[in-house]
Amino acid sequence: ASLIERREKAQQKHDEAKSLKDGIDRRSRIVTNMLRKYFSNEQYDDYEHFIRMKSTLLMDAKDIEENILIIEKQIEILTQISISDSQNLQTSNNTESLQTNSFKAISSMA
C-alpha cells in the first residue's frame, strides 16, 4: 500500500511537471514568434545567444558561490586547527621550559 501511494504521488508530480513544461514551451513559442516579427534574424540570434549565456552564467555564478562557501569553511577549520596547534605548541614549550629550568635548578644544587 505504501509503495502504491508513493508511486501515485510520483506520477502526480511527473504529470504536474509535464504540464508546467508544456505551458512554458507554449509561451516560449508565442514569445519567439513575436520577437521574430520585430527582430531581424541577426538580432534574434543575438537575443537567443544572450538568453543561453545568461542561463549558463547564472549556473556558473551559483557554482562559484557554493565553492566560495566551501573554501571559507575550510579556511575557518584550518584557522581553528592552526590556533589549536599554536596553543598546544605554546603549552608544550612552556612545559619543556619548566622541565629545563627544573633540571638546571637540580643540577646547580648538586
PDB file of all heavy atoms in Angstrom, residues 23 38 47-48 50 64 69 88 93 97 108:
ATOM      1  N   GLY A  23       3.305  24.187 -20.733  1.00  0.00           N
ATOM      2  CA  GLY A  23       2.927  25.606 -20.662  1.00  0.00           C
ATOM      3  C   GLY A  23       4.093  26.521 -20.981  1.00  0.00           C
ATOM      4  O   GLY A  23       3.958  27.504 -21.717  1.00  0.00           O
ATOM      5  N   TYR A  38       9.537  41.339 -34.887  1.00  0.00           N
ATOM      6  CA  TYR A  38      10.137  42.652 -34.663  1.00  0.00           C
ATOM      7  C   TYR A  38      11.657  42.683 -34.803  1.00  0.00           C
ATOM      8  O   TYR A  38      12.230  43.739 -35.016  1.00  0.00           O
ATOM      9  CB  TYR A  38       9.757  43.166 -33.264  1.00  0.00           C
ATOM     10  CG  TYR A  38       8.273  43.389 -33.137  1.00  0.00           C
ATOM     11  CD1 TYR A  38       7.474  42.478 -32.465  1.00  0.00           C
ATOM     12  CD2 TYR A  38       7.661  44.501 -33.716  1.00  0.00           C
ATOM     13  CE1 TYR A  38       6.105  42.671 -32.357  1.00  0.00           C
ATOM     14  CE2 TYR A  38       6.299  44.704 -33.614  1.00  0.00           C
ATOM     15  CZ  TYR A  38       5.528  43.787 -32.930  1.00  0.00           C
ATOM     16  OH  TYR A  38       4.172  43.978 -32.832  1.00  0.00           O
ATOM     17  N   TYR A  47      19.758  37.766 -29.472  1.00  0.00           N
ATOM     18  CA  TYR A  47      18.877  37.626 -28.303  1.00  0.00           C
ATOM     19  C   TYR A  47      18.908  36.191 -27.772  1.00  0.00           C
ATOM     20  O   TYR A  47      19.047  35.965 -26.564  1.00  0.00           O
ATOM     21  CB  TYR A  47      17.444  38.024 -28.674  1.00  0.00           C
ATOM     22  CG  TYR A  47      16.434  37.633 -27.627  1.00  0.00           C
ATOM     23  CD1 TYR A  47      16.287  38.382 -26.472  1.00  0.00           C
ATOM     24  CD2 TYR A  47      15.645  36.486 -27.790  1.00  0.00           C
ATOM     25  CE1 TYR A  47      15.368  38.015 -25.494  1.00  0.00           C
ATOM     26  CE2 TYR A  47      14.735  36.116 -26.822  1.00  0.00           C
ATOM     27  CZ  TYR A  47      14.593  36.879 -25.682  1.00  0.00           C
ATOM     28  OH  TYR A  47      13.698  36.503 -24.717  1.00  0.00           O
ATOM     29  N   GLU A  48      18.797  35.230 -28.673  1.00  0.00           N
ATOM     30  CA  GLU A  48      18.825  33.825 -28.282  1.00  0.00           C
ATOM     31  C   GLU A  48      20.146  33.471 -27.602  1.00  0.00           C
ATOM     32  O   GLU A  48      20.174  32.781 -26.572  1.00  0.00           O
ATOM     33  CB  GLU A  48      18.617  32.947 -29.526  1.00  0.00           C
ATOM     34  CG  GLU A  48      17.792  31.731 -29.276  1.00  0.00           C
ATOM     35  CD  GLU A  48      17.494  30.989 -30.575  1.00  0.00           C
ATOM     36  OE1 GLU A  48      18.209  31.169 -31.579  1.00  0.00           O
ATOM     37  OE2 GLU A  48      16.537  30.206 -30.564  1.00  0.00           O
ATOM     38  N   PHE A  50      22.120  35.579 -26.044  1.00  0.00           N
ATOM     39  CA  PHE A  50      22.106  36.266 -24.752  1.00  0.00           C
ATOM     40  C   PHE A  50      21.359  35.446 -23.708  1.00  0.00           C
ATOM     41  O   PHE A  50      21.831  35.257 -22.581  1.00  0.00           O
ATOM     42  CB  PHE A  50      21.460  37.654 -24.903  1.00  0.00           C
ATOM     43  CG  PHE A  50      21.165  38.306 -23.589  1.00  0.00           C
ATOM     44  CD1 PHE A  50      22.170  38.914 -22.856  1.00  0.00           C
ATOM     45  CD2 PHE A  50      19.872  38.309 -23.081  1.00  0.00           C
ATOM     46  CE1 PHE A  50      21.899  39.519 -21.632  1.00  0.00           C
ATOM     47  CE2 PHE A  50      19.590  38.917 -21.859  1.00  0.00           C
ATOM     48  CZ  PHE A  50      20.609  39.517 -21.136  1.00  0.00           C
ATOM     49  N   ILE A  64      30.117  28.948  -8.357  1.00  0.00           N
ATOM     50  CA  ILE A  64      31.208  29.715  -7.753  1.00  0.00           C
ATOM     51  C   ILE A  64      30.860  30.105  -6.324  1.00  0.00           C
ATOM     52  O   ILE A  64      31.696  29.992  -5.417  1.00  0.00           O
ATOM     53  CB  ILE A  64      31.538  30.960  -8.615  1.00  0.00           C
ATOM     54  CG1 ILE A  64      32.199  30.518  -9.918  1.00  0.00           C
ATOM     55  CG2 ILE A  64      32.442  31.930  -7.852  1.00  0.00           C
ATOM     56  CD1 ILE A  64      32.340  31.610 -10.955  1.00  0.00           C
ATOM     57  N   LEU A  69      31.772  29.285  -0.498  1.00  0.00           N
ATOM     58  CA  LEU A  69      31.320  28.888   0.834  1.00  0.00           C
ATOM     59  C   LEU A  69      32.122  27.698   1.355  1.00  0.00           C
ATOM     60  O   LEU A  69      32.512  27.668   2.529  1.00  0.00           O
ATOM     61  CB  LEU A  69      29.823  28.550   0.817  1.00  0.00           C
ATOM     62  CG  LEU A  69      28.873  29.730   0.652  1.00  0.00           C
ATOM     63  CD1 LEU A  69      27.433  29.232   0.517  1.00  0.00           C
ATOM     64  CD2 LEU A  69      28.994  30.687   1.822  1.00  0.00           C
ATOM     65  N   ASN A  88      48.749  24.421  21.606  1.00  0.00           N
ATOM     66  CA  ASN A  88      49.393  23.187  22.057  1.00  0.00           C
ATOM     67  C   ASN A  88      50.907  23.328  22.043  1.00  0.00           C
ATOM     68  O   ASN A  88      51.590  22.851  22.937  1.00  0.00           O
ATOM     69  CB  ASN A  88      48.972  22.004  21.193  1.00  0.00           C
ATOM     70  CG  ASN A  88      47.529  21.609  21.415  1.00  0.00           C
ATOM     71  OD1 ASN A  88      46.945  21.941  22.435  1.00  0.00           O
ATOM     72  ND2 ASN A  88      46.954  20.906  20.456  1.00  0.00           N
ATOM     73  N   ASN A  93      55.960  24.070  24.791  1.00  0.00           N
ATOM     74  CA  ASN A  93      57.172  24.865  25.021  1.00  0.00           C
ATOM     75  C   ASN A  93      57.268  25.286  26.476  1.00  0.00           C
ATOM     76  O   ASN A  93      58.352  25.269  27.069  1.00  0.00           O
ATOM     77  CB  ASN A  93      57.211  26.085  24.113  1.00  0.00           C
ATOM     78  CG  ASN A  93      57.533  25.729  22.670  1.00  0.00           C
ATOM     79  OD1 ASN A  93      58.043  24.647  22.392  1.00  0.00           O
ATOM     80  ND2 ASN A  93      57.232  26.633  21.756  1.00  0.00           N
ATOM     81  N   SER A  97      60.190  24.251  28.930  1.00  0.00           N
ATOM     82  CA  SER A  97      60.934  25.296  29.626  1.00  0.00           C
ATOM     83  C   SER A  97      60.945  25.042  31.124  1.00  0.00           C
ATOM     84  O   SER A  97      61.980  25.176  31.782  1.00  0.00           O
ATOM     85  CB  SER A  97      60.314  26.658  29.327  1.00  0.00           C
ATOM     86  OG  SER A  97      60.988  27.669  30.024  1.00  0.00           O
ATOM     87  N   SER A 108      72.305  22.582  39.625  1.00  0.00           N
ATOM     88  CA  SER A 108      73.093  23.569  40.355  1.00  0.00           C
ATOM     89  C   SER A 108      73.146  23.244  41.838  1.00  0.00           C
ATOM     90  O   SER A 108      74.075  23.597  42.533  1.00  0.00           O
ATOM     91  CB  SER A 108      72.544  24.978  40.137  1.00  0.00           C
ATOM     92  OG  SER A 108      71.254  25.088  40.710  1.00  0.00           O
TER      93      SER A 108
END
